[in-house]
Amino acid sequence: LGGVFKMQPNGDGYQFLPTGSGGAQWYRSVAESGDGFLYGAHPGGGTQFNGLLFRVRPDGSDLQTLHEFSETAEPPTGVRPKQLLHASDGHLYGISFQRSPTPIHSVTVFTPILLRLGPVPLPDSSGAPLVLTSGLTASGPDLAFRIAFTGEAGKTYTLQAADALPPLWLKAGEAVAGSQGAVEFSEAVPADGTARYFRVMAE
């Protein structure tokens, strides 16, 4: 009852990859990794139908159950896992639920548990486009233009700027991405209101 599907962004090449792990409620996405697997949470999977965590290769092969949740809904894992997030620290994070020891008006209450798995290798981001966030950092005489993005940890990035189009690019700054890949540039806004164009180059 469910599995993983893939298709091209225009809808072509649709393929369904049945996982054969049982249960229902396939309404969560999978997390990409750098070890050749997709990781996912199946809220209604397993022999107790209380959820399981799995991984599978993008072609549907080598399906593995990583953890099956019991029927007790007790810590530290709880039941009914939700969508996994592959964070920049390499770990997979998700939410499950534990049964609260205190009912509310005789109704059983479930409270969330944060799950942490891994570490799992991060996907290769060397060819991925940078997503730049721009904005102004202050007002008045300290007004500055700010560009921030997440790049590759330890890599050097150069900010180039130009005053007109077509551009004559000139170096405006340089920064090395931190351990989490965070990069930030800022430049004072010209007092005369001259237009500025920016681009980021990776060395």
Side-chain angles (χ1 to χ4, degrees), residues 131-156:
V131 179
L132 307 182
T133 302
S134 60
L136 298 176
T137 61
S139 60
D142 297 324
L143 190 63
F145 187 80
R146 173 181 175 272
I147 293 177
F149 61 90
T150 299
E152 183 178 340
K155 178 173 285 190
T156 300

Side-chain angles (χ1 to χ4, degrees), residues 19 21-22 26 28-31 37-47 49-56 62-70 76-85 92-97 113-118 120:
T19 64
S21 54
W26 283 91
R28 306 297 173 190
S29 64
V30 292
F37 285 91
L38 301 173
Y39 288 76
H42 186 178
T47 57
F49 305 106
N50 271 333
L52 60 79
L53 303 177
F54 71 94
R55 70 177 187 175
V56 65
D62 206 6
L63 172 69
Q64 301 173 24
T65 296
L66 304 177
H67 178 75
E68 185 171 325
F69 293 77
S70 70
T77 59
V79 295
R80 299 280 174 164
K82 303 303 181 184
Q83 178 174 326
L84 296 179
L85 167 70
L92 296 165
Y93 290 87
I95 295 291
S96 67
F97 298 89
I113 302 175
L114 177 64
L115 300 176
R116 181 174 185 259
L117 304 95
V120 175

